[in-house]
Amino acid sequence: VPPRSSDPRPSWCMLLAGAPEIASSVRERIAQTAPEWALRSSEHAAAEMTLLADEVDPEHVILLQGAELTEERLREHLPSASVVHFAAPFRVNGASPLFSSVLLGGEPGHAANRSATDAVLDAREVMNLDLQAALAVVSDGAAMAMREASDEAAVVQWAWRAAGVPALVLPRWSGDDEASREFLVEFYRRVHEGDSAAAALHTASAAIRRKEGRSAPFYWAGWLLIAGR
């Protein structure tokens, strides 16, 4: 999927990656090795990406979803992104945090320009990339579902920082889908206007908290920012 803006690419570029077509072999492996992992709905992820692409800044978005979200295509576009947003299945591996995986599409072992791919992006692979993004966000509510995941999330952020990305945002729990989308729209609007990730998170959380029926922490307090120094 080409960028929505014409080349040369704009100085600010958001990569939206999610709702992958996960191969049956990957689903079978997950079912065997992590049977408690309920994979995120592709429909909810696609709705989130569509909203963000339309509301944040359509002219500065690269959209990878469905069959287009392969490891090969992701690696192709990651280096040019200013902000990376994953709406794909992900969770922190509390036992081996560097094996925390974003699930991608495509058949493992097949790629045009690489000898092998496993259709996932692990933290151990992220740390070897050379990126320019200021921020990575993973929106899957299952991110912290594994035991001891909260203790190991900093290792995942360290992997992104080693790649050049200083800040990582994760959800602490699976919240309300509508409230989460509202949060993300406001968060990215502030980031694009120049706010730091910390300031944008604070402002977006406060905006959700002020909405009718959204005052409970469940709706606005679930987002965690981990930033390196």
Side-chain angles (χ1 to χ4, degrees), residues 5-20:
S5 56
S6 59
D7 285 332
R9 291 180 181 174
S11 59
W12 193 91
C13 178
M14 182 177 187
L15 174 60
L16 286 171

Side-chain angles (χ1 to χ4, degrees), residues 2 28 50 68 72 105 110 137 161 168 184 201 203 211 223:
E28 290 170 3
T50 298
E68 295 294 328
E72 183 179 23
H110 297 278
V137 176
R161 180 157 51 93
L168 176 68
L184 289 167
L201 189 145
T203 301
K211 289 178 178 275
W223 295 91

Side-chain angles (χ1 to χ4, degrees), residues 22-48:
I22 301 173
S24 57
S25 58
V26 175
R27 290 184 180 275
E28 290 170 3
R29 187 178 75 227
I30 295 298
Q32 293 173 359
T33 60
E36 75 287 355
W37 187 359
L39 299 186
R40 184 181 190 184
S41 162
S42 292
E43 291 76 12
H44 289 171
E48 176 182 297

Side-chain angles (χ1 to χ4, degrees), residues 195-224:
D195 285 4
S196 68
L201 189 145
H202 176 78
T203 301
S205 297
I208 301 304
R209 188 171 67 246
R210 289 193 297 267
K211 289 178 178 275
E212 184 176 357
R214 298 276 199 265
S215 60
F218 170 77
Y219 294 102
W220 55 267
W223 295 91
L224 173 67

